[in-house]
Amino acid sequence: MTTITLKSYTRSKHQISTVYGVDDLQFTTSMWYHDVNFYDLENIYGKDYMDRVYFHIVVFDMNKLQSVKPKHIDLGPYERYHTVEFENLWLKHFSGAFSQWLYENDLHDYKGPTFLHKANDKKFNAVETTAPDGPEVLSLNGGGKDSLLSMSIFDKVGVEYGTLVFSSSVYGTSRLQLRLTGDLVKNCSKSHRHHQLAMYDDFLDSPITDLRDDVDIKTLQEDETIKSVFSVLPFVLQYRYRYVNLGHEKSAEYPNLIWDKNGLPVNHQYCKSIAAQILEDTYIKNNLVSNCTFFSVLKPLNDVMIFSMLNSVDPKYIPYTHSCNKIKPWCKRCAKCAYIWLAFMAYQPTNLIDSIFNENLFDVDEIQIFYRQLLGLEKHNAFECVGQIDETRLAFELCRRKGLKGKAMDIYIDEVSGRYDQDSAIMKLTEVDTDYDRIPSKFAEDIMALFSEQEKVARDFLKGKLIK
């Protein structure tokens, strides 16, 4: 009868360290904030308030422990922060953020763990930060094509911004990750500040699924995005940012499949959805920081638009990007690498991408299944941060017109080419979502004008290449 427990956390000048329990097992996470001083923040905002901030950072890191299928959650000595509003946020996120994990473990009737104690009716006040003495926008930067385009957009419309790069021990050594992403920022943007946050985790890479007979699950998962949203708050407080750009695109709105056992959507990228963004932003405004808004400058754009707009970015910047979640910068054997390589080959000069990957991924046997998923030939789209099926198909067609060959291209030609409405896909996937209204009003008009201009560029590019 598994219970996950928030046992304790401590903070020092630049670090928050946490101990979690899974019954009699113990796990730890440490987060290193390179240019945040927690002692200064406690002097400014008070120790009681900062304790609430620490709690939210560590408890949403703790969400990963839900993937051992626990029966209960125990917040231990931090039950005082267990409000009705907090519990509602936690529970609403579970069904969406863990939908892939539920599907992979065939847990169609599991509703998640229940809290060991009842929520209280306390109301906590949010703080209002003073005017910033630097840029108002903080742009989160994972080192990939979305981060590069976000920075390029801010540069083009004259918005000053800072950047924050994350590293996680789940993805390899921190120094390598921070160097790779730091090189992207240093060489490819006009950012006014550059922040770093390094996370060290011993749960997600643990052998718990092999060594605990009572943990009857196959995969471990976390809601990485909501963790990053709360983890960024110390930077918001220290530097008084008004806006945080998450850099999530419209393609993240679409599920990988509808589960036939319960009719619910399964979306690997739910955490990047508008629904998740609004839940988090509303909660933070009500409880923690009242005058900071979380938004995504890329949310009006599908991946087709993003890759098209990257054509207007200096090609020398592309080699600084990396997107693989297995081995940095590219493992060349996962669904993410398969997709990014495909799209880069479709929209960027072939010799440039060859110089980065040095391999024709169309011929790699291990990833043929991912290309089949990406093309819509299997039960679901690939479980990764990838585009929609028609976006993959358009990329394949662009590659075919370039004369690119390989096993995956043969699959596309034999089983997909000519069997979908290419004209309709082009019109739909290049359309800018003008209903997205969370881009801050003070620069939304300039950004949307840029998008409107690029919509025509992308449409003309695709029609010119694909429609005779």
Side-chain angles (χ1 to χ4, degrees):
M1 191 179 294
T2 306
T3 298
I4 58 176
T5 305
L6 174 52
K7 291 191 170 184
S8 66
Y9 60 82
T10 59
R11 66 91 186 93
S12 58
K13 186 176 181 180
H14 299 295
Q15 182 204 54
I16 300 174
S17 183
T18 316
V19 179
Y20 308 107
V22 177
D23 290 340
D24 59 343
L25 297 176
Q26 182 169 292
F27 300 94
T28 62
T29 299
S30 63
M31 301 182 185
W32 292 79
Y33 288 76
H34 287 224
D35 48 359
V36 167
N37 186 326
F38 289 115
Y39 300 154
D40 285 348
L41 289 179
E42 289 174 10
N43 288 332
I44 296 169
Y45 299 103
K47 183 65 166 60
D48 287 345
Y49 170 78
M50 287 306 300
D51 272 339
R52 273 198 286 133
V53 173
Y54 302 147
F55 165 77
H56 283 87
I57 292 171
V58 303
V59 79
F60 283 106
D61 175 59
M62 178 183 170
N63 78 68
K64 62 199 173 192
L65 272 62
Q66 293 181 103
S67 60
V68 299
K69 199 176 71 172
K71 185 170 184 180
H72 298 299
I73 304 172
D74 184 358
L75 297 180
Y78 310 105
E79 273 295 331
R80 62 188 180 278
Y81 302 124
H82 180 193
T83 65
V84 171
E85 194 171 359
F86 163 77
E87 184 170 319
N88 286 339
L89 174 65
W90 181 281
L91 296 177
K92 284 180 180 178
H93 260 278
F94 177 79
S95 60
F98 282 79
S99 59
Q100 177 186 333
W101 173 81
L102 291 166
Y103 175 79
E104 289 174 334
N105 292 281
D106 196 23
L107 300 174
H108 58 278
D109 56 355
Y110 179 60
K111 304 302 181 185
T114 59
F115 285 88
L116 202 58
H117 301 98
K118 185 178 179 181
N120 62 63
D121 294 324
K122 289 181 182 177
K123 297 291 182 182
F124 292 107
N125 294 324
V127 302
E128 181 175 324
T129 58
T130 58
D133 58 1
E136 292 187 309
V137 176
L138 177 62
S139 192
L140 306 193
N141 194 309
K145 48 93 176 174
D146 295 333
S147 299
L148 174 58
L149 186 59
S150 291
M151 295 188 299
S152 174
I153 290 167
F154 291 138
D155 290 341
K156 285 180 179 178
V157 300
V159 173
E160 294 187 354
Y161 61 98
T163 56
L164 169 60
V165 301
F166 295 84
S167 72
S168 172
S169 57
V170 176
Y171 304 136
T173 65
S174 173
R175 289 185 183 277
L176 173 62
Q177 293 174 64
L178 293 177
R179 179 181 64 77
L180 288 170
T181 312
D183 283 348
L184 178 72
V185 173
K186 179 175 63 178
N187 291 285
C188 311
S189 79
K190 301 175 184 176
S191 62
H192 292 253
R193 287 197 184 110
H194 177 44
H195 308 291
Q196 295 181 334
L197 171 56
M199 303 183 185
Y200 300 86
D201 172 297
D202 66 5
F203 170 74
L204 290 171
D205 195 34
S206 73
I208 186 171
T209 58
D210 299 321
L211 301 183
R212 278 286 294 261
D213 294 336
D214 57 329
V215 178
D216 184 24
I217 49 101
K218 302 173 185 175
T219 58
L220 300 177
Q221 185 177 314
E222 68 172 334
D223 180 351
E224 189 174 35
T225 301
I226 195 171
K227 177 175 77 172
S228 67
V229 165
F230 284 94
S231 297
V232 80
L233 291 177
F235 295 98
V236 170
L237 294 166
Q238 183 96 60
Y239 297 93
R240 305 186 299 284
Y241 287 107
R242 289 286 186 264
Y243 311 105
V244 178
N245 170 50
L246 302 171
H248 301 154
E249 73 286 349
K250 186 178 179 182
S251 298
E253 299 294 321
Y254 302 96
N256 299 70
L257 78 154
I258 304 299
W259 198 351
D260 57 2
K261 290 190 175 182
N262 55 20
L264 296 177
V266 175
N267 186 359
H268 174 85
Q269 301 188 80
Y270 166 82
C271 305
K272 297 182 177 181
S273 69
I274 296 174
Q277 188 181 115
I278 291 174
L279 277 174
E280 295 154 7
D281 184 73
T282 301
Y283 181 89
I284 288 171
K285 278 188 168 69
N286 288 343
N287 294 275
L288 294 167
V289 185
S290 63
N291 59 339
C292 180
T293 296
F294 288 77
F295 75 103
S296 294
V297 71
L298 301 183
K299 188 52 79 171
L301 309 176
N302 287 302
D303 253 9
V304 161
M305 280 290 292
I306 290 171
F307 281 107
S308 175
M309 288 180 69
L310 283 173
N311 283 329
S312 65
V313 172
D314 193 323
K316 70 181 182 183
Y317 296 159
I318 300 299
Y320 288 107
T321 64
H322 65 282
S323 295
C324 182
N325 293 322
K326 304 292 185 182
I327 301 173
K328 304 294 183 181
W330 307 101
C331 78
K332 296 183 278 190
R333 295 298 183 270
C334 69
K336 188 71 172 290
C337 285
Y339 174 73
I340 296 296
W341 177 85
L342 162 72
F344 271 162
M345 290 295 278
Y347 291 90
Q348 294 290 324
T350 302
N351 61 345
L352 172 65
I353 307 307
D354 278 339
S355 71
I356 298 169
F357 285 83
N358 298 304
E359 189 171 7
N360 179 3
L361 298 198
F362 282 155
D363 273 331
V364 176
D365 289 335
E366 299 100 301
I367 59 176
Q368 296 305 306
I369 181 60
F370 299 136
Y371 279 126
R372 292 189 62 83
Q373 292 171 344
L374 290 163
L375 285 166
L377 298 174
E378 299 294 326
K379 289 183 178 180
H380 57 77
N381 197 356
F383 283 138
E384 249 299 352
C385 295
V386 296
Q388 301 167 68
I389 287 169
D390 275 350
E391 292 181 295
T392 294
R393 292 171 174 177
L394 289 179
F396 262 96
E397 185 62 24
L398 286 169
C399 288
R400 187 181 76 83
R401 300 296 178 101
K402 282 186 171 184
L404 302 183
K405 300 183 183 301
K407 295 176 183 177
M409 180 58 72
D410 291 341
I411 292 172
Y412 169 75
I413 292 171
D414 293 343
E415 301 186 47
V416 179
S417 181
R419 295 173 175 82
Y420 67 101
D421 190 340
Q422 190 170 274
D423 294 1
S424 176
I426 291 173
M427 295 301 292
K428 174 186 174 184
L429 295 170
T430 55
E431 184 178 11
V432 175
D433 184 2
T434 56
D435 291 333
Y436 182 72
D437 59 359
R438 297 186 60 79
I439 298 176
S441 58
K442 64 191 310 177
F443 44 81
E445 185 176 348
D446 289 341
I447 288 175
M448 294 306 289
L450 174 64
F451 289 171
S452 179
E453 171 191 310
Q454 290 298 312
E455 178 183 81
K456 183 178 185 306
V457 171
R459 199 164 285 172
D460 289 347
F461 168 80
L462 288 167
K463 287 182 176 181
K465 294 287 185 182
L466 302 181
I467 299 177
K468 296 179 179 180

